Amino acid sequence: MKRRDVLKSALAGAAALASPRIARAEGQSTITFVPHADLASLDPVWTTADITRNFSLAVYDTLYGFDAEFNVQPQMVAGETASDDGKEWNLTLRDGLKFHDGTPVLARDCVATIKRWGQRYPMGNALLARADEISAASDKMVRIRLKRSFPMLTYALADVYCAIMPERLAQTDANEQVKEAVGSGPFKFVASERVPGQRVVFEKNGDYVPRKDGKPSFNAGPKIVYVDRVVWNFVPDPGTAAAALQQGEVDWWENPPIDLVPQLKADKNLVVTVKDRTGEIGCLRFNHLFPPFDKPAVRRAVLAAINQKDVITAFCGAEPSIMKTDVGLFVPGTPLASDVGVEITRGTKDYGKIKQDLAAAGYNGEKIVVLAATTIPSIWAEASVATDVLKQIGMDIDLQALEWGAVVSRRAVKEPPDHGGWNIFYTYLGGFGNISPGPNIAIRGTGTKAWFGWPTDEEMEALRDAWFEAPDLGAQQKICSDMQVRFWQNPSYVPLGMYDQPMAFHSYLQDVRDGWPQFYGVRRA
């Protein structure tokens, strides 16, 4: 399938769901923003969806944060002490922390949050596995006693998904969604103005007390808010979003399709730039619970059939400088990335032979239920090309074109594909998991406790555990190379290449931070 055909299809599918014309920007005290998707969940523990992560950055705060160089900085924590043997940590909370419902943030809220987050996220899993006790030593002190030293403890607690919420909410089962958003972050979620499918509204949290020290960087340092409101207007049709941005109806667009980037760059009133350096790795995710992808050989055959360059060119061929191929587990060029085995992702493919390999591997003609989001052009582009390959290697495909929120809900279903479940869904992997195995959810092999798809891989888990204990970068790199060898043998997904997504905003917005979309620190000049 040609890139132009894919993009036309993406735009057509998006236009069918396009929002009404956006009202003109609401004034100098408001930032109007077009996000990459509608907000389907308020719970940053229940889902890994980037839209909920970005929501979480506004509404919640974390004990620690990352600066733009990915160094850990204290955030809600005023300071910490660790015993000489590294087995006991005491974290003291800053003064003035308050939830949006007016209650103070207490250590027991943090403890409940850590325990819930730790059930779902890789860094949390690693912490809980090493902890003898996580408790509230007082209202302002969190105590963590460990079985053995864990030097990466603060790195783990800086995970954006470890978003501190009141104990009453954090006691919700980790496999169930929290239904209300009560954080202590710099913005409050205005539930009364929520329009499902279109609009999310935040207002400045007047009770928020920023840190007095440090430098604002990524999601670390003082989080000072200069506007009264932030309004997200989700616009599925890229043409509509581009016109709204250029006409001043919105201030900021998170993810303009690459074909529109030259047009936006030509507008002298706009800034078009890459802020997120962790990139977006395309992902064809298998469901390991049911045939045929319960068989490693079937998954290997699909992996061998797909050329990364073909897939990623479908979306960002107009700006080849932002795309990367030969992608294994981590972003090429970063310290832990490896080129071991990446040749399988290149070159001309013999579909006839791969079809025979599939049959030999145990594919018996089962219908393959594929979930793909039409409302995110980058996902629809990769889905269109990769699914065409699946058809060419002889798979019986049921492609279900959905909006992203429906994919987010559906991918959590563990029922068989013919009872509301699925076999494959498409997404992009972003964030710190793209540069480190610690927070990488896609490589986990913990069965039904793993990320959607639920693979079981004890060898990968053992390698990951060894990585946490590695004494230096060289040892970490060797383990990551071994992890990639194991991945090609037992793939839990297919890497589909990657790209760095530019964002576009009006030049009157100053101090837009590096990283994911964040609205504290941003000024209107």
Side-chain angles (χ1 to χ4, degrees), residues 65-72 155 218 276-278 431-432 435 516:
F66 287 100
D67 64 23
E69 287 72 46
F70 308 119
N71 299 310
V72 176
Y155 185 99
F218 199 10
D276 178 12
R277 300 296 174 179
T278 62
F432 296 117
I435 59 174
W516 308 310

Side-chain angles (χ1 to χ4, degrees), residues 12-165:
L17 296 172
S19 301
R21 185 175 182 275
I22 303 169
R24 186 156 298 278
E26 300 189 20
Q28 292 300 306
S29 63
T30 298
I31 293 175
T32 307
F33 176 74
V34 178
H36 70 275
D38 184 45
L39 180 68
S41 174
L42 306 178
D43 188 346
V45 168
W46 184 81
T47 182
T48 59
D50 287 353
I51 192 67
T52 300
R53 176 201 67 195
N54 297 346
F55 173 85
S56 180
L57 283 166
V59 172
Y60 299 98
D61 215 345
T62 50
L63 295 172
Y64 294 85
F66 287 100
D67 64 23
E69 287 72 46
F70 308 119
N71 299 310
V72 176
Q73 307 289 351
Q75 190 54 42
M76 296 175 74
V77 169
E80 75 275 340
T81 61
S83 61
D84 290 341
D85 61 6
K87 292 184 179 180
E88 180 172 307
W89 292 68
N90 291 305
L91 317 178
T92 302
L93 299 178
R94 290 195 289 119
D95 293 332
L97 300 178
K98 187 184 295 186
F99 287 116
H100 299 160
D101 62 5
T103 61
V105 177
L106 303 177
R108 64 172 181 263
D109 302 306
C110 302
V111 169
T113 296
I114 292 168
K115 290 180 176 178
R116 181 170 185 260
W117 157 78
Q119 296 176 53
R120 295 291 295 261
Y121 282 89
M123 293 302 294
N125 295 160
L127 173 57
L128 294 189
R130 290 162 172 77
D132 272 332
E133 173 191 351
I134 302 176
S135 63
S138 68
D139 282 349
K140 294 195 65 174
M141 183 179 290
V142 176
R143 177 163 295 156
I144 302 177
R145 291 196 174 103
L146 301 166
K147 298 179 177 69
R148 59 186 185 275
S149 176
F150 185 37
M152 300 184 74
L153 184 141
T154 59
Y155 185 99
L157 294 176
D159 189 337
V160 67
Y161 299 101
C162 188
I164 303 301
M165 58 183 65

Side-chain angles (χ1 to χ4, degrees), residues 282-286 299 302-303 306 487 491-496:
C283 173
L284 181 161
R285 182 68 168 183
F286 300 113
R299 301 195 299 273
V302 173
L303 173 65
I306 295 178
F487 177 77
S492 52
Y493 64 96
V494 178
L496 301 175

Side-chain angles (χ1 to χ4, degrees), residues 1 52 57 74 93 118 128 138 140 172 185 209 214 230 256 279 283 295 354 360 378 409 425 471 474 504:
M1 184 174 287
T52 300
L57 283 166
L93 299 178
L128 294 189
S138 68
K140 294 195 65 174
T172 303
V209 179
V230 174
C283 173
K295 303 174 184 68
I354 293 172
S378 60
S409 297
F425 77 87

Side-chain angles (χ1 to χ4, degrees), residues 322-341:
I322 66 170
M323 71 182 190
K324 298 181 179 72
T325 54
D326 287 353
V327 178
L329 293 179
F330 306 114
V331 175
T334 57
L336 298 178
S338 170
D339 60 4
V340 171

Side-chain angles (χ1 to χ4, degrees), residues 218-340:
F218 199 10
N219 71 320
K223 297 180 179 179
I224 301 172
V225 176
Y226 295 102
V227 295
D228 294 332
R229 285 164 58 90
V230 174
V231 177
W232 290 6
N233 280 313
F234 174 50
V235 184
D237 176 27
T240 302
L245 181 70
Q246 293 186 285
Q247 294 168 12
E249 295 175 352
V250 297
D251 304 309
W252 184 353
W253 187 8
E254 180 182 5
N255 66 325
I258 306 307
D259 265 26
L260 294 181
V261 165
Q263 169 189 329
L264 299 176
K265 283 184 173 179
D267 189 328
K268 66 181 187 307
N269 296 313
L270 300 178
V271 176
V272 182
T273 186
V274 172
K275 290 289 186 178
D276 178 12
R277 300 296 174 179
T278 62
E280 297 286 341
I281 297 178
C283 173
L284 181 161
R285 182 68 168 183
F286 300 113
N287 187 336
H288 295 239
L289 299 183
F290 304 103
F293 299 122
D294 57 337
K295 303 174 184 68
V298 173
R299 301 195 299 273
R300 287 197 299 269
V302 173
L303 173 65
I306 295 178
N307 183 319
Q308 288 188 359
K309 186 175 182 180
D310 290 345
V311 176
I312 205 65
T313 299
F315 180 63
C316 54
E319 288 282 328
S321 64
I322 66 170
M323 71 182 190
K324 298 181 179 72
T325 54
D326 287 353
V327 178
L329 293 179
F330 306 114
V331 175
T334 57
L336 298 178
S338 170
D339 60 4
V340 171

